[in-house]
Amino acid sequence: FSMSVDLIATLLGWSLVFNIGYLLLASVLLLLAPNGLASLHQRMLGLEQSDWRRVYINFMANYKIAVLVFNLSPWLALKCMGY
């Protein structure tokens, strides 16, 4: 099974769409229901309210960087090359 460069570009594009969708959903949930998310994570992980917000924001920042590095950058490079 071999993958063409066009297929890889398409895969990266759709991966980018899904990852940005997840980031948007997580951000909206954080803005609209912070207490519900906090209580859920407190029950699951035993985190305090102040710790939970810091951990969640840190996770979102790291996830965003990973999406930019592993999805957006290669997709843009392939698009600039004409694929």
Side-chain angles (χ1 to χ4, degrees):
F1 171 63
S2 78
M3 296 179 70
S4 70
V5 177
D6 289 330
L7 183 61
I8 293 172
T10 302
L11 176 70
L12 285 170
W14 280 110
S15 179
L16 182 63
V17 168
F18 289 126
N19 282 307
I20 288 176
Y22 172 74
L23 280 169
L24 289 173
L25 176 67
S27 298
V28 167
L29 285 175
L30 182 61
L31 291 173
L32 296 180
N35 294 333
L37 286 175
S39 65
L40 174 69
H41 286 88
Q42 285 174 349
R43 285 190 307 244
M44 287 175 32
L45 305 172
L47 293 174
E48 295 298 323
Q49 178 82 17
S50 60
D51 293 335
W52 171 81
R53 186 171 286 287
R54 183 178 39 79
V55 167
Y56 197 79
I57 296 298
N58 190 25
F59 165 74
M60 294 288 290
N62 289 334
Y63 192 85
K64 181 173 49 174
I65 291 169
V67 168
L68 292 174
V69 170
F70 295 113
N71 287 140
L72 181 63
S73 297
W75 181 77
L76 281 176
L78 289 173
K79 289 301 172 184
C80 288
M81 292 171 32
Y83 292 103

